[in-house]
Amino acid sequence: MQFFTTLLLAAASFAAAAPTEGASENAAPKLEARAYSGDMTYYTAGLGACGQTNNNNDAIVALPSHFFTAANPNKDPQCNRTIRITYKGKSKTAKVVDKCAGCAGNSIDVTPSVFTALVGGLSAGRVQVTWDFV
Ligand SMILES: *[C@@H]1O[C@H](CO)[C@@H](O)[C@H](O)[C@H]1NC(C)=O
């Protein structure tokens, strides 16, 4: 009996300490909590899964296939969203226009111009980045 009483008291004090809905002062920044990380590679832009044609100078990105849920990729809710990519303290935004079948996990594929803007050149080929939706 003593044991259960202690448990109940513990549960009650935990509930009392839990933040109420809307009290976000102590909540972690959303960007931090939702950031993705993975490899960034580059590809030659063209007609993407979202139905738009882009070129290598556009600030666009292909997300891994698992982000795409619509039956018609042209109408996928991910299309036209903006993400912010961060590499070694540098950030750049890019628009989602394609899906990347070869991107494992949360890895992303960008145009050579985005890759160069962040990394300084193309020779690295593949670097680790973090990114999030803006
Ligand atoms: C994305 O933007 C293009 C160009 O504005 C538009 O034609 C297309 O319908 C948009 N796609 C989605 C899924 O919102």
Side-chain angles (χ1 to χ4, degrees), residues 50-52 72-81 95-97:
C50 293
Q52 302 169 46
N72 177 356
N74 285 189
K75 296 190 176 354
D76 198 280
Q78 302 299 342
C79 293
N80 297 335
R81 289 183 83 182
K95 186 171 82 164
V96 178
V97 296

Side-chain angles (χ1 to χ4, degrees), residues 42 111-113 115-116 119-126:
Y42 65 88
T111 46
S113 59
F115 195 96
T116 299
V119 183
L122 294 175
S123 59
R126 176 183 295 268

